Amino acid sequence: MKARIVIGANYGDEGKGTVVANYTKNSNNVLNILTNGGAQRGHSILTKDGNITFQHFGAGTYHGADNYYSRYFILNPMQFVKEYKSLIVKPKNIYRDLSCRWSTPYDSMANLISEEQKGTHASCCMGIWNTIKRYNEIPILNYDDFIKNEDFQLQYLFNIKKYYEKNLIIPEKWKDIWNSDILVFNFINDCYFMYNKTIVKNLCELTYDELIFENGQGLLLSDNGKDTYDTTPSNTGILYSLELLKELNVNDITAHYVTRPYLTRHGDGVLMNQLFRKNISSDVNEDRTNHYNDFQGEFRYGLLDINDLHKRINENAGNIKYELEVTHCDEMDRINDFKKLFKNINIYSSPLV
């Protein structure tokens, strides 16, 4: 068994989906592990069937990979149902760790309302930070216990609703949906749907020729323990994957750090060496999949300092062997610059997978 760990080297949006899909395409009997974060990720691949964005599923799904939600991944039943029904290729098997945290509509709505009130574009509004804080502050049920305790489901969701109402003023325009019985009914149905489509397994119980860990976000967004627009509430590097691999007898481990020849970032937050796209290179195209949206604001660009990139990758990888995956090379040729510092480089000029 071998393991590949695909990690964003910058602020996210580096092309992790393309890299995961490429390695899955060339492998048999592969398990695509969603390592961290939750459905706020958006990993896009360009295929003969058009552009596909994966949030609650791995980008290897398109090439037939089974999926696994690690204990560090936050489930979202609503997004799961929406995305599952839209998949061109559905996984034969979808596994999850029993201890996965899970989000409710109230986590997502509270996230969105807070962003509106602050006037910021710092969140995908999937309720990730909200879910984590809620888990730390009020009694919780794991997903299976929620499903099996039908008599307590409404009360449990009501408790979460009241938890947010203590600290959040619900605007008038939100009250109808916030207090909707239909919302609760539909959410519970979504919970049953995901429950019936997924299988609870420890990773050590599964046997595959290859494991592909698909991280969300990037190294420059890794958790600093604070709810800020500069970070995401998970470790975005190699740590979680190595923790999971301790349970397995895997000796062949390779980390794959993904970057473009330039920097990108969604919305608010620090972006090193920010420039207008045209001032980076006249060949840098407007991004195919990342456009303005009300949640994340503008998609921004900046110059990539390769020395800084080399330093943070080495610090994160430690003793684990790694390869650099450079996407969007058709837009900006810096391969000779990368080769001065990196030994093993894979180049992606066409995004088609």
Side-chain angles (χ1 to χ4, degrees):
M1 183 187 295
K2 70 167 61 173
R4 300 183 188 275
I5 307 170
V6 178
I7 300 168
N10 306 312
Y11 296 101
D13 303 301
E14 299 95 348
K16 295 182 291 293
T18 297
V19 174
V20 169
N22 180 67
Y23 283 117
T24 307
K25 182 179 182 179
N26 297 317
S27 301
N28 295 314
N29 193 30
V30 60
L31 182 65
N32 194 169
I33 300 168
L34 284 80
T35 317
N36 70 313
Q40 87 275 37
R41 64 172 65 199
H43 294 177
S44 298
I45 61 174
L46 187 62
T47 76
K48 61 181 178 58
D49 297 304
N51 184 74
I52 304 172
T53 299
F54 295 94
Q55 291 181 255
H56 212 294
F57 290 84
T61 299
Y62 182 76
H63 292 305
D66 286 348
N67 278 223
Y68 184 86
Y69 303 123
S70 91
R71 61 177 176 264
Y72 301 109
F73 186 82
I74 296 175
L75 303 170
N76 186 313
M78 299 166 289
Q79 180 62 28
F80 179 94
V81 174
K82 176 183 176 183
E83 196 170 335
Y84 183 89
K85 291 181 176 180
S86 71
L87 290 174
I88 296 173
V89 180
K90 292 177 170 55
K92 182 179 179 181
N93 296 298
I94 307 170
Y95 303 102
R96 59 182 169 87
D97 191 286
L98 181 63
S99 61
C100 283
R101 291 168 291 189
W102 53 287
S103 296
T104 71
Y106 301 111
D107 301 303
S108 300
M109 286 190 290
N111 185 185
L112 204 160
I113 291 169
S114 296
E115 286 295 293
E116 282 188 350
Q117 292 176 346
K118 290 186 292 186
T120 56
H121 298 289
S123 172
C124 297
C125 294
M126 298 298 289
I128 301 298
W129 267 113
N130 298 71
T131 300
I132 292 170
K133 288 180 179 179
R134 171 174 61 79
Y135 262 69
N136 292 334
E137 295 178 19
I138 64 173
I140 60 169
L141 285 177
N142 72 37
Y143 194 72
D144 291 64
D145 288 340
F146 176 79
I147 294 294
K148 294 171 184 176
N149 286 273
E150 293 185 8
D151 293 339
F152 188 61
Q153 288 172 353
L154 293 177
Q155 184 62 49
Y156 185 68
L157 294 175
F158 179 78
N159 291 344
I160 295 174
K161 179 173 179 284
K162 289 300 179 184
Y163 161 78
Y164 284 113
E165 290 173 353
K166 289 180 181 179
N167 300 302
L168 185 67
I169 298 174
I170 309 302
E172 195 64 35
K173 69 174 184 177
W174 281 95
K175 286 185 177 178
D176 284 347
I177 184 68
W178 182 265
N179 296 313
S180 170
D181 292 335
I182 295 175
L183 174 74
V184 174
F185 175 78
N186 288 338
F187 176 69
I188 292 175
N189 281 342
D190 287 347
C191 288
Y192 278 108
F193 185 97
M194 188 171 76
Y195 178 80
N196 291 325
K197 293 294 183 184
T198 56
I199 305 165
V200 173
K201 288 284 187 182
N202 291 325
L203 195 55
C204 59
E205 298 178 87
L206 302 173
T207 302
Y208 284 84
D209 294 335
E210 187 165 347
L211 307 176
I212 298 182
F213 292 82
E214 183 175 348
N215 277 27
Q217 297 81 48
L219 293 179
L220 290 171
L221 296 176
S222 200
D223 186 13
N224 65 6
K226 300 178 181 179
D227 181 0
T228 73
Y229 52 59
D230 283 316
T231 62
T232 192
S234 71
N235 186 289
T236 59
I238 203 169
L239 177 65
Y240 291 162
S241 298
L242 294 184
E243 285 295 318
L244 295 168
L245 284 166
K246 285 180 182 178
E247 306 166 11
L248 308 173
N249 184 25
V250 180
N251 297 316
D252 187 357
I253 303 173
T254 305
H256 299 264
Y257 290 91
V258 189
T259 186
R260 302 187 190 208
Y262 51 89
L263 291 174
T264 60
R265 179 163 189 170
H266 271 113
D268 298 341
V270 173
L271 170 58
M272 293 187 295
N273 306 317
Q274 181 174 346
L275 285 175
F276 289 112
R277 174 170 54 87
K278 64 182 180 181
N279 292 336
I280 296 173
S281 169
S282 59
D283 294 326
V284 175
N285 300 319
E286 181 178 357
D287 198 80
R288 301 174 179 89
T289 59
N290 292 286
H291 304 289
Y292 177 87
N293 65 73
D294 288 337
F295 297 150
Q296 294 183 300
E298 297 288 348
F299 190 66
R300 296 180 290 147
Y301 298 80
L303 290 175
L304 174 67
D305 186 318
I306 296 178
N307 288 301
D308 285 349
L309 176 73
H310 184 255
K311 179 180 178 181
R312 65 175 165 269
I313 289 176
N314 280 331
E315 288 177 351
N316 188 255
N319 295 324
I320 301 298
K321 66 179 179 180
Y322 72 82
E323 298 177 5
L324 185 70
E325 312 281 341
V326 186
T327 65
H328 297 77
C329 290
D330 54 325
E331 298 179 4
M332 192 175 184
D333 184 4
R334 300 185 70 188
I335 296 306
N336 288 333
D337 295 330
F338 285 114
K339 286 181 177 179
K340 293 176 183 177
L341 292 175
F342 294 94
K343 294 180 180 178
N344 300 311
I345 304 175
N346 301 309
I347 300 168
Y348 297 78
S349 291
S350 171
L352 189 67
V353 298

